[in-house]
Amino acid sequence: MELIASLPKTTFWVGTIALVSAIACILALGIAALGAIAGTAVAAPTPNQPDTEVGPQKSYDGMITDTRCGAKHSSAIGKTAADCTLACIHGGEQFALVDGETVYSLEGETVQLKRVAGQRVRIIGALKGSKLSVISITSITSLIPQRSRP
């Protein structure tokens, strides 16, 4: 008789454990599926994104300026190219390298770029679309030997 009386209690606990186990499995599968979907969304580039692949490191020569003025600084303001560049940068523009007819937006250490603003430079960097990631920068002006005056 005791066996029959304990049967409903045992069935209740077995059923409860089975139900909780089933819910845990369903939640684990749901979380795994969400993780897989999120991982795929991060890894797959969308067609509307610009090409962010970094090219190989190369050497670029040109003049450090800003994206507003480019190679033509306004003489009306009475400032040097360096002062004009720094004023435009302070006003929200980005540093740029003018190499002939090509203008590259620069990404890099702002302190280094401010130091050579308005000067001819040689940049070692990697091109990413139209942005040039600066790895190193050297003033070409300082490399040109100065002639002594007679």
Side-chain angles (χ1 to χ4, degrees), residues 39-95:
T40 304
V42 170
T46 61
N48 294 337
Q49 286 181 333
D51 184 22
T52 57
E53 187 174 318
V54 177
Q57 293 179 7
K58 284 178 49 180
S59 174
Y60 299 87
D61 291 350
M63 183 173 175
I64 297 292
T65 183
D66 59 271
T67 52
R68 179 174 176 257
C69 294
K72 298 177 182 172
H73 297 281
S74 173
S75 60
I77 62 172
K79 292 186 177 185
T80 65
D83 292 336
C84 182
T85 298
L86 293 174
C88 288
I89 295 299
H90 183 71
E93 297 298 322
Q94 293 183 337
F95 279 106

Side-chain angles (χ1 to χ4, degrees), residues 3 20 24 27 29-30 37 40 42 50 56 71 73 77 98 101 104 106 112 117-118 121 128 138 141:
L3 182 61
V20 169
L27 285 174
L29 287 173
I37 291 169
T40 304
V42 170
H73 297 281
I77 62 172
V98 175
E101 295 294 316
Y104 301 104
L106 297 177
Q112 282 183 319
V121 296
K128 221 183 342 182
T138 308
T141 310

